[in-house]
Every structure is written in structure tokens, then in C-alpha cells.
Amino acid sequence: MQPDGTALATLGGQGYALTPRLALQPAPADRAGQAMWTQVEDSLLLLSVRLGDGWVQVLEVR
């Protein structure tokens, strides 16, 4: 874990940096029942993780 909250991970031999966005987002209705999902925004891969209280933590994947 880095001071800015970035986590470094290796999956299948590939290294990734997961940097959390500072503000939590409300869980979108069209993702009901999904614990996590990915999307692309401005050429950036985002991993969204649903929290138990109806909020979502978005992580930038690099």
C-alpha cells in the first residue's frame, strides 16, 4: 500500500496499480446485484467495487 492509497498487485504475472478515487459514488441502479464491474472512461480502466451500504469505491487500474 502506497501513501496515496494505491495498491500494487500482480495477477497472472502482470503488475497493476489500483488507485482509489477519493469520493465514493452512489451505486447505480443498473448495476443492482453486481458486486464489482469494470468500465472505460477517458482511456482509463476503472474497477468499481460495491460497498455494503449502497456506495461504490472506484479504483483506477494502471
Side-chain angles (χ1 to χ4, degrees), residues 1-26:
M1 190 66 73
Q2 305 299 308
D4 67 354
T6 296
L8 304 177
T10 302
L11 182 64
Q14 176 69 40
Y16 297 94
L18 304 163
T19 304
R21 290 199 170 169
L22 297 179
L24 296 177
Q25 302 294 318

Side-chain angles (χ1 to χ4, degrees), residues 31 34 36-40 44-49 59 61:
R31 298 290 185 167
Q34 292 181 298
M36 62 179 65
W37 59 91
T38 58
Q39 62 193 57
V40 176
L44 192 61
L45 179 61
L46 303 177
L47 172 64
S48 297
V49 180
L59 303 162
V61 181

